[in-house]
Amino acid sequence: QVQLVESGGGLVQPGGSLRLSCAASGNIVRINAMRWYRQAPGKGRELVAGITPSGDTAYTSSVRGRFTISRDNAKNTMYLEMNSLKPEDTALYYCSMNVLSSVWGDLWGQGTQVTVSS
């Protein structure tokens, strides 16, 4: 059984920075794509950033240039470095990984709250 555990959320002032982590544990054979999503109050879930096993990345336009997604394949861990944070970045952030255990499946973390406010 594989699970994803997130950490790193919190309260930060506008212009500040946070680093989110997402670690996968369990019977893991391989991990394909890794992604960060977020959901703000009253809004749908939004894809924020994604990274392939080889390190190719993609970002939604509102975070490009401010957020950086990365992964450590040896540790089955993904990160999201968030800089120049804005109040509109406030949301519950979720990680997701496409994992091969006994079968391929998309797994989700429990979510970590990011609040940007003065």
Side-chain angles (χ1 to χ4, degrees), residues 67-102:
F67 290 11
T68 302
I69 188 172
S70 61
R71 63 191 285 169
D72 184 333
N73 292 328
K75 295 181 178 179
N76 293 327
T77 300
M78 168 176 63
Y79 306 95
L80 186 68
E81 185 77 34
M82 304 184 294
N83 298 314
S84 302
L85 282 161
K86 304 175 181 180
E88 51 264 43
D89 295 317
T90 296
L92 190 59
Y93 283 71
Y94 296 91
C95 64
S96 178
M97 297 185 185
N98 185 232
V99 177
L100 176 61
S101 181
S102 54

Short mmCIF file of all heavy atoms in Angstrom, two decimals, residues 67-102:
data_model
loop_
_atom_site.label_atom_id
_atom_site.label_comp_id
_atom_site.label_asym_id
_atom_site.label_seq_id
_atom_site.Cartn_x
_atom_site.Cartn_y
_atom_site.Cartn_z
N PHE A 67 6.97 29.91 -8.97
CA PHE A 67 7.00 28.58 -8.37
C PHE A 67 7.97 27.69 -9.14
O PHE A 67 8.11 27.81 -10.36
CB PHE A 67 5.62 27.93 -8.42
CG PHE A 67 4.58 28.56 -7.51
CD1 PHE A 67 4.79 29.77 -6.88
CD2 PHE A 67 3.36 27.92 -7.31
CE1 PHE A 67 3.82 30.33 -6.05
CE2 PHE A 67 2.39 28.46 -6.50
CZ PHE A 67 2.62 29.68 -5.88
N THR A 68 8.60 26.76 -8.41
CA THR A 68 9.49 25.79 -9.03
C THR A 68 9.17 24.41 -8.49
O THR A 68 9.21 24.19 -7.26
CB THR A 68 10.96 26.11 -8.74
OG1 THR A 68 11.26 27.43 -9.22
CG2 THR A 68 11.87 25.10 -9.43
N ILE A 69 8.84 23.49 -9.40
CA ILE A 69 8.59 22.11 -9.02
C ILE A 69 9.86 21.30 -9.25
O ILE A 69 10.60 21.54 -10.21
CB ILE A 69 7.41 21.52 -9.82
CG1 ILE A 69 7.02 20.14 -9.30
CG2 ILE A 69 7.71 21.48 -11.31
CD1 ILE A 69 5.75 19.58 -9.92
N SER A 70 10.14 20.37 -8.34
CA SER A 70 11.31 19.51 -8.49
C SER A 70 11.00 18.16 -7.86
O SER A 70 10.00 18.01 -7.16
CB SER A 70 12.54 20.14 -7.84
OG SER A 70 12.34 20.33 -6.45
N ARG A 71 11.86 17.18 -8.13
CA ARG A 71 11.67 15.84 -7.58
C ARG A 71 13.00 15.20 -7.30
O ARG A 71 14.00 15.47 -7.97
CB ARG A 71 10.83 14.98 -8.53
CG ARG A 71 11.47 14.72 -9.87
CD ARG A 71 10.47 14.08 -10.84
NE ARG A 71 10.22 12.67 -10.56
CZ ARG A 71 9.25 11.95 -11.12
NH1 ARG A 71 8.42 12.53 -11.99
NH2 ARG A 71 9.11 10.67 -10.85
N ASP A 72 12.99 14.33 -6.29
CA ASP A 72 14.15 13.51 -5.96
C ASP A 72 13.70 12.06 -6.15
O ASP A 72 13.01 11.51 -5.28
CB ASP A 72 14.57 13.79 -4.52
CG ASP A 72 15.84 13.05 -4.13
OD1 ASP A 72 16.11 11.96 -4.72
OD2 ASP A 72 16.56 13.51 -3.23
N ASN A 73 14.06 11.47 -7.26
CA ASN A 73 13.59 10.12 -7.58
C ASN A 73 14.10 9.08 -6.59
O ASN A 73 13.43 8.09 -6.32
CB ASN A 73 13.98 9.75 -9.00
CG ASN A 73 13.23 10.57 -10.04
OD1 ASN A 73 12.08 10.96 -9.84
ND2 ASN A 73 13.88 10.85 -11.15
N ALA A 74 15.28 9.29 -6.05
CA ALA A 74 15.85 8.34 -5.09
C ALA A 74 15.05 8.32 -3.79
O ALA A 74 15.01 7.30 -3.09
CB ALA A 74 17.29 8.69 -4.80
N LYS A 75 14.42 9.45 -3.48
CA LYS A 75 13.64 9.56 -2.23
C LYS A 75 12.14 9.48 -2.47
O LYS A 75 11.36 9.62 -1.53
CB LYS A 75 13.97 10.87 -1.52
CG LYS A 75 15.42 10.98 -1.05
CD LYS A 75 15.65 12.31 -0.32
CE LYS A 75 17.08 12.39 0.19
NZ LYS A 75 17.32 13.70 0.88
N ASN A 76 11.72 9.32 -3.74
CA ASN A 76 10.28 9.31 -4.07
C ASN A 76 9.58 10.54 -3.52
O ASN A 76 8.48 10.45 -2.95
CB ASN A 76 9.62 8.03 -3.55
CG ASN A 76 10.11 6.79 -4.26
OD1 ASN A 76 10.42 6.81 -5.45
ND2 ASN A 76 10.20 5.68 -3.53
N THR A 77 10.22 11.67 -3.68
CA THR A 77 9.73 12.91 -3.09
C THR A 77 9.67 14.02 -4.12
O THR A 77 10.52 14.08 -5.02
CB THR A 77 10.63 13.33 -1.92
OG1 THR A 77 10.63 12.30 -0.93
CG2 THR A 77 10.15 14.63 -1.28
N MET A 78 8.66 14.87 -3.98
CA MET A 78 8.46 16.01 -4.87
C MET A 78 8.41 17.27 -4.02
O MET A 78 7.98 17.22 -2.86
CB MET A 78 7.15 15.81 -5.63
CG MET A 78 6.64 17.02 -6.38
SD MET A 78 5.16 16.67 -7.36
CE MET A 78 3.98 16.23 -6.11
N TYR A 79 8.81 18.38 -4.61
CA TYR A 79 8.83 19.65 -3.90
C TYR A 79 8.15 20.73 -4.74
O TYR A 79 8.09 20.64 -5.96
CB TYR A 79 10.27 20.09 -3.61
CG TYR A 79 11.09 19.05 -2.90
CD1 TYR A 79 11.91 18.18 -3.62
CD2 TYR A 79 11.02 18.91 -1.52
CE1 TYR A 79 12.65 17.21 -2.97
CE2 TYR A 79 11.77 17.94 -0.86
CZ TYR A 79 12.58 17.10 -1.60
OH TYR A 79 13.30 16.12 -0.95
N LEU A 80 7.67 21.76 -4.06
CA LEU A 80 7.17 22.95 -4.73
C LEU A 80 7.71 24.17 -3.99
O LEU A 80 7.29 24.43 -2.85
CB LEU A 80 5.64 22.99 -4.78
CG LEU A 80 5.06 24.15 -5.60
CD1 LEU A 80 5.38 23.95 -7.09
CD2 LEU A 80 3.54 24.25 -5.41
N GLU A 81 8.67 24.83 -4.60
CA GLU A 81 9.23 26.05 -4.04
C GLU A 81 8.37 27.21 -4.52
O GLU A 81 8.22 27.41 -5.73
CB GLU A 81 10.67 26.22 -4.50
CG GLU A 81 11.40 27.38 -3.87
CD GLU A 81 11.84 27.09 -2.44
OE1 GLU A 81 12.17 25.93 -2.15
OE2 GLU A 81 11.81 28.03 -1.63
N MET A 82 7.81 27.95 -3.58
CA MET A 82 6.89 29.03 -3.92
C MET A 82 7.48 30.35 -3.43
O MET A 82 7.68 30.53 -2.23
CB MET A 82 5.52 28.79 -3.28
CG MET A 82 4.90 27.46 -3.66
SD MET A 82 3.24 27.24 -3.00
CE MET A 82 3.60 27.17 -1.26
N ASN A 83 7.75 31.25 -4.37
CA ASN A 83 8.31 32.56 -4.05
C ASN A 83 7.35 33.67 -4.49
O ASN A 83 6.44 33.44 -5.28
CB ASN A 83 9.66 32.73 -4.76
CG ASN A 83 10.68 31.71 -4.30
OD1 ASN A 83 10.84 31.47 -3.11
ND2 ASN A 83 11.37 31.10 -5.25
N SER A 84 7.59 34.87 -3.99
CA SER A 84 6.76 36.02 -4.33
C SER A 84 5.28 35.70 -4.20
O SER A 84 4.47 35.99 -5.09
CB SER A 84 7.08 36.49 -5.76
OG SER A 84 8.45 36.81 -5.89
N LEU A 85 4.93 35.11 -3.09
CA LEU A 85 3.56 34.64 -2.90
C LEU A 85 2.58 35.81 -2.84
O LEU A 85 2.90 36.90 -2.32
CB LEU A 85 3.45 33.81 -1.63
CG LEU A 85 3.98 32.37 -1.79
CD1 LEU A 85 4.29 31.74 -0.46
CD2 LEU A 85 2.98 31.53 -2.57
N LYS A 86 1.39 35.56 -3.38
CA LYS A 86 0.33 36.56 -3.45
C LYS A 86 -0.90 36.05 -2.70
O LYS A 86 -1.08 34.83 -2.56
CB LYS A 86 -0.05 36.81 -4.91
CG LYS A 86 1.10 37.23 -5.80
CD LYS A 86 0.64 37.33 -7.25
CE LYS A 86 1.78 37.72 -8.17
NZ LYS A 86 1.34 37.83 -9.59
N PRO A 87 -1.76 36.94 -2.25
CA PRO A 87 -2.99 36.49 -1.57
C PRO A 87 -3.80 35.51 -2.41
O PRO A 87 -4.42 34.59 -1.86
CB PRO A 87 -3.74 37.79 -1.33
CG PRO A 87 -2.67 38.83 -1.20
CD PRO A 87 -1.61 38.40 -2.18
N GLU A 88 -3.77 35.67 -3.72
CA GLU A 88 -4.54 34.77 -4.59
C GLU A 88 -3.92 33.37 -4.68
O GLU A 88 -4.52 32.47 -5.28
CB GLU A 88 -4.70 35.36 -5.99
CG GLU A 88 -3.43 35.83 -6.63
CD GLU A 88 -3.20 37.33 -6.46
OE1 GLU A 88 -3.43 37.85 -5.33
OE2 GLU A 88 -2.77 37.97 -7.45
N ASP A 89 -2.75 33.17 -4.09
CA ASP A 89 -2.17 31.83 -4.01
C ASP A 89 -2.73 31.04 -2.83
O ASP A 89 -2.44 29.85 -2.67
CB ASP A 89 -0.65 31.89 -3.88
CG ASP A 89 0.02 32.48 -5.11
OD1 ASP A 89 -0.38 32.10 -6.23
OD2 ASP A 89 0.95 33.29 -4.94
N THR A 90 -3.51 31.70 -1.99
CA THR A 90 -4.11 31.02 -0.84
C THR A 90 -5.02 29.90 -1.29
O THR A 90 -5.93 30.10 -2.10
CB THR A 90 -4.91 32.02 0.01
OG1 THR A 90 -4.02 32.99 0.55
CG2 THR A 90 -5.66 31.32 1.13
N ALA A 91 -4.74 28.70 -0.79
CA ALA A 91 -5.50 27.51 -1.21
C ALA A 91 -5.03 26.31 -0.41
O ALA A 91 -4.01 26.36 0.28
CB ALA A 91 -5.30 27.25 -2.70
N LEU A 92 -5.79 25.23 -0.56
CA LEU A 92 -5.35 23.93 -0.07
C LEU A 92 -4.58 23.27 -1.21
O LEU A 92 -5.11 23.12 -2.31
CB LEU A 92 -6.55 23.09 0.34
CG LEU A 92 -6.30 21.79 1.08
CD1 LEU A 92 -5.55 22.03 2.37
CD2 LEU A 92 -7.63 21.09 1.37
N TYR A 93 -3.32 22.93 -0.97
CA TYR A 93 -2.46 22.37 -2.00
C TYR A 93 -2.37 20.86 -1.84
O TYR A 93 -2.12 20.35 -0.74
CB TYR A 93 -1.06 22.99 -1.91
CG TYR A 93 -0.99 24.38 -2.48
CD1 TYR A 93 -1.59 25.45 -1.82
CD2 TYR A 93 -0.33 24.65 -3.68
CE1 TYR A 93 -1.56 26.74 -2.35
CE2 TYR A 93 -0.28 25.92 -4.21
CZ TYR A 93 -0.90 26.96 -3.54
OH TYR A 93 -0.86 28.23 -4.07
N TYR A 94 -2.57 20.16 -2.97
CA TYR A 94 -2.53 18.71 -2.99
C TYR A 94 -1.43 18.23 -3.92
O TYR A 94 -1.23 18.79 -5.00
CB TYR A 94 -3.84 18.14 -3.53
CG TYR A 94 -5.07 18.42 -2.70
CD1 TYR A 94 -5.84 19.55 -2.93
CD2 TYR A 94 -5.48 17.54 -1.70
CE1 TYR A 94 -6.98 19.80 -2.18
CE2 TYR A 94 -6.61 17.78 -0.95
CZ TYR A 94 -7.36 18.92 -1.21
OH TYR A 94 -8.49 19.15 -0.46
N CYS A 95 -0.76 17.16 -3.54
CA CYS A 95 0.16 16.51 -4.45
C CYS A 95 -0.49 15.25 -5.02
O CYS A 95 -1.37 14.65 -4.38
CB CYS A 95 1.48 16.17 -3.78
SG CYS A 95 1.38 14.96 -2.43
N SER A 96 -0.06 14.89 -6.20
CA SER A 96 -0.55 13.69 -6.86
C SER A 96 0.60 13.04 -7.60
O SER A 96 1.43 13.72 -8.20
CB SER A 96 -1.68 14.03 -7.83
OG SER A 96 -2.13 12.89 -8.51
N MET A 97 0.64 11.72 -7.56
CA MET A 97 1.67 10.96 -8.26
C MET A 97 1.04 9.78 -8.99
O MET A 97 0.11 9.14 -8.45
CB MET A 97 2.73 10.44 -7.29
CG MET A 97 3.50 11.51 -6.57
SD MET A 97 4.83 10.77 -5.57
CE MET A 97 5.47 12.21 -4.72
N ASN A 98 1.55 9.48 -10.15
CA ASN A 98 1.15 8.29 -10.91
C ASN A 98 2.14 7.18 -10.55
O ASN A 98 3.30 7.24 -10.96
CB ASN A 98 1.17 8.62 -12.40
CG ASN A 98 0.67 7.49 -13.25
OD1 ASN A 98 1.33 7.07 -14.20
ND2 ASN A 98 -0.51 6.98 -12.95
N VAL A 99 1.67 6.23 -9.76
CA VAL A 99 2.56 5.26 -9.11
C VAL A 99 2.27 3.85 -9.57
O VAL A 99 1.11 3.44 -9.65
CB VAL A 99 2.40 5.34 -7.57
CG1 VAL A 99 3.26 4.30 -6.88
CG2 VAL A 99 2.74 6.74 -7.07
N LEU A 100 3.35 3.10 -9.80
CA LEU A 100 3.24 1.66 -10.06
C LEU A 100 3.58 0.92 -8.77
O LEU A 100 4.70 1.00 -8.29
CB LEU A 100 4.17 1.24 -11.19
CG LEU A 100 4.21 -0.27 -11.47
CD1 LEU A 100 2.83 -0.79 -11.88
CD2 LEU A 100 5.26 -0.60 -12.52
N SER A 101 2.59 0.25 -8.22
CA SER A 101 2.81 -0.65 -7.09
C SER A 101 2.49 -2.05 -7.61
O SER A 101 3.25 -2.58 -8.41
CB SER A 101 1.94 -0.23 -5.91
OG SER A 101 2.15 -1.07 -4.80
N SER A 102 1.38 -2.62 -7.24
CA SER A 102 0.95 -3.86 -7.88
C SER A 102 0.31 -3.54 -9.24
O SER A 102 0.37 -4.35 -10.18
CB SER A 102 -0.03 -4.62 -6.99
OG SER A 102 -1.10 -3.79 -6.62
#
